[in-house]
Amino acid sequence: MAGTTSVTTSRHGLALRVESRLERCQEIHFARDVLGTDNPLVAECLGGRDALVVFSPSIDRFYGRRIRTYFAAQRPDASTEFMVLARTEESKTIDAALSVAERACTAGLSRTSPIVAIGGGVCSDICGVAAALYRRGTPHVNIPTTLIGLVDAGIGTKNAVNHAGRKSCLGSFHPPEHVILDGGFLATLPRRSIAGGFAEIIKLATVSDRALFDVLTDHAATALRSKFREPEWAASKMIDMAVRGMIDQLAENLFEIRDYRRKVDFGHTFSPYFETASHHTLSHGEAVAIDIALSAEIAARVGLVTGHELEAILSLIEAVGLALVWPGTSVCDLWRSLQSIVEHRNGDLHLVVPSSIGNCEYLELGALSPQVLDSCLERLAHRPRSHCGRRRAG
Ligand SMILES: NC(=O)c1ccc[n+]([C@@H]2O[C@H](COP(=O)([O-])OP(=O)(O)OC[C@H]3O[C@@H](n4cnc5c(N)ncnc54)[C@H](O)[C@@H]3O)[C@@H](O)[C@H]2O)c1
Ligand SMILES: [Zn+2]
């Protein structure tokens, strides 16, 4: 990449302007049995480069032996360092990223050697930040093993860690060089984590994809119960549609410089409060589901969705075993938390709310008040459950 320089003048005098454009390319592979010793995909993505492969203790327990066997079989001539990273949402902090960077340093990783994250969003976020920092930016590769990882955290351009009690406060836009998607990992994922992943798919479907919403309504509960094995066609269709939909949304504004109104922020305005206030007893996906329910209730209140559409959204959330409210909510604290979202979104709230299923609009802070939030939360807490919702949730 070459920069162009020019001389400008202003009332302060002469200035030099340097303009540059950074080309990035991210490849997302749909694959099966990626750890099969006869499957060259991962090795081909890494080429002959040395690599640091990072995974959590759970991944080590379920897949550690297969991971080590795979790299020994497929990359006998390249150096592969393994690191088991015991971090959770509570400890997804900058020192976690620094510990990965430190390991890259001791392993002698060069500027072109990738850090490979095999795991969920916590692992890929930490490795993404580490890769952005190490040698001012080294490549990274994601092999997501959770539903959130497959449809969201693993495929996006940004990575972040929590800091000073603030969710995703420090981070970078540092897209992975390769993402390798294999739904087979979901077979060992706890049901609670799969449910949380559904929150991200429901998010996308509700504001941008009516067809995906219909597939979810018909098949999400079965996919949850069977850990994405049944019905097979619907399970892979849900992932496929969610990944493509997410990428389409992100591609419009990959580095979030164009504007701060993003459909995929649906479910992510109130959720940081719920995650932090619950001291992470609510998972990311569970907090997103509660945010979706509240945002949909607000949309119904201002007449953007009908009662029937609201019911369809809330029933779908319940059908995958997710809650609509968090009993510990303080309306005052929730209201106060919006201030930091406004700062983050450059001056206004841009609350994404559905306007019919598959479409959305943005509401600004002036449309809300603590009283509005309180009455919406009350309605959700005392909502009569529909026959349909109860049947599916059961
Ligand atoms: N950067 C982004 O764009 C982005 C987007 C969405 C979410 N996120 C972040 O992702 C995180 C949530 O990610 P998550 O839901 O993947 O949770 P997670 O990464 O915490 O993983 C959940 C647990 O499941 C274990 N696990 C992972 N895969 C497994 C498997 N196949 N079998 C058994 N156990 C397995 C993990 O070790 C962990 O203990 C949050 O920190 C959130 O902020 C980031
Ligand atoms: Zn999310």
Side-chain angles (χ1 to χ4, degrees), residues 45-52 75 79 104 108-116 131 134-141 174 177-178:
C45 290
L46 302 183
R49 299 172 293 177
D50 296 347
L52 171 63
R75 289 165 41 91
S79 151
L109 246 60
S110 74
R111 288 180 76 157
T112 55
S113 304
I115 297 175
V116 182
Y134 181 63
R135 298 190 190 274
R136 302 191 185 90
T138 46
H140 67 117
V141 171
H174 188 55
E177 190 183 77
H178 292 276

Side-chain angles (χ1 to χ4, degrees), residues 17 23 32 50 57 71 79 101 108-110 113 154 157 167 176 181 252 278 330 356 371 374:
R17 173 182 293 168
E23 297 282 335
R32 274 167 190 246
D50 296 347
F71 282 95
S79 151
L109 246 60
S110 74
S113 304
T157 46
K167 172 86 184 154
L181 303 176
E252 286 178 9
S278 72
S330 150
S356 79
Q371 292 71 27
D374 195 32

Side-chain angles (χ1 to χ4, degrees), residues 171-182:
S172 58
F173 286 88
H174 188 55
E177 190 183 77
H178 292 276
V179 181
I180 300 164
L181 303 176
D182 180 353

Side-chain angles (χ1 to χ4, degrees), residues 37-369:
T37 46
D38 56 351
N39 187 339
L41 177 62
V42 175
E44 282 177 9
C45 290
L46 302 183
R49 299 172 293 177
D50 296 347
L52 171 63
V53 178
V54 183
F55 43 86
S56 69
S58 314
I59 291 299
D60 196 18
R61 199 164 54 250
F62 287 111
Y63 302 99
R65 186 189 298 234
R66 288 187 66 198
I67 290 171
R68 291 177 179 87
T69 307
Y70 177 86
F71 282 95
Q74 281 284 344
R75 289 165 41 91
D77 302 324
S79 151
T80 309
E81 189 84 13
F82 300 100
M83 176 179 186
V84 177
L85 181 71
R87 295 286 180 152
T88 62
E89 183 64 39
E90 279 169 295
S91 53
K92 193 180 84 169
T93 52
I94 190 67
D95 50 294
L98 294 179
S99 73
V100 174
E102 182 67 27
R103 190 62 174 269
C105 204
T106 51
L109 246 60
S110 74
R111 288 180 76 157
T112 55
S113 304
I115 297 175
V116 182
I118 307 183
V122 166
C123 184
S124 59
D125 264 349
I126 293 170
C127 289
V129 173
L133 292 174
Y134 181 63
R135 298 190 190 274
R136 302 191 185 90
T138 46
H140 67 117
V141 171
N142 285 339
I143 306 180
T145 61
T146 62
L147 188 52
I148 285 195
L150 286 164
V151 302
D152 197 331
I155 60 177
T157 46
K158 59 182 179 179
N159 316 280
V161 292
N162 306 328
H163 184 68
R166 287 180 161 204
K167 172 86 184 154
S168 303
C169 181
L170 300 178
S172 58
F173 286 88
H174 188 55
E177 190 183 77
H178 292 276
V179 181
I180 300 164
L181 303 176
D182 180 353
F185 285 109
L186 300 181
T188 54
L189 194 64
R191 186 179 162 124
R192 182 180 170 198
S193 184
I194 297 188
F198 267 118
E200 299 283 10
I201 308 183
I202 294 171
K203 160 194 88 175
L204 189 75
T206 305
V207 292
S208 70
D209 191 343
R210 168 90 226 196
L212 176 57
F213 192 92
D214 291 342
V215 178
L216 289 169
T217 303
D218 291 341
H219 301 291
T222 310
L224 172 72
R225 271 197 300 275
S226 66
K227 301 205 171 176
F228 270 78
R229 279 182 282 227
E230 289 166 19
E232 200 182 332
W233 70 269
S236 59
K237 195 173 173 84
M238 280 185 262
I239 293 179
D240 192 79
M241 289 174 88
V243 170
R244 286 169 197 261
M246 187 71 186
I247 291 297
D248 283 350
Q249 290 300 323
L250 295 179
E252 286 178 9
N253 188 14
L254 266 185
F255 296 94
E256 295 178 23
I257 13 198
R258 220 190 51 188
D259 70 27
Y260 297 90
R261 286 152 64 106
R262 304 180 338 128
K263 287 185 183 181
V264 290
D265 280 341
F266 181 47
H268 291 71
T269 299
F270 305 112
S271 60
Y273 161 77
F274 290 116
E275 276 188 76
T276 312
S278 72
H279 300 289
H280 302 291
T281 55
L282 287 174
S283 71
H284 178 72
E286 288 164 344
V288 169
I290 292 167
D291 182 320
I292 292 174
L294 177 55
S295 302
E297 187 71 49
I298 293 168
R301 189 187 162 100
V302 298
L304 286 169
V305 293
T306 63
H308 185 72
E309 288 164 336
L310 174 64
E311 184 54 34
I313 297 166
L314 301 182
S315 296
L316 179 55
I317 295 171
E318 290 182 324
V320 292
L322 292 164
L324 305 179
V325 286
W326 179 55
T329 307
S330 150
V331 173
C332 286
D333 292 348
L334 178 59
W335 176 251
R336 264 197 294 272
S337 75
L338 297 182
Q339 193 48 48
S340 106
I341 302 289
V342 167
E343 283 164 21
H344 188 68
R345 295 183 187 160
N346 217 24
D348 219 330
L349 189 64
H350 309 318
L351 173 72
V352 192
V353 290
S355 57
S356 79
I357 287 173
N359 293 297
C360 69
E361 286 199 13
Y362 300 86
L363 297 181
E364 302 307 346
L365 198 58
L368 299 182
S369 67

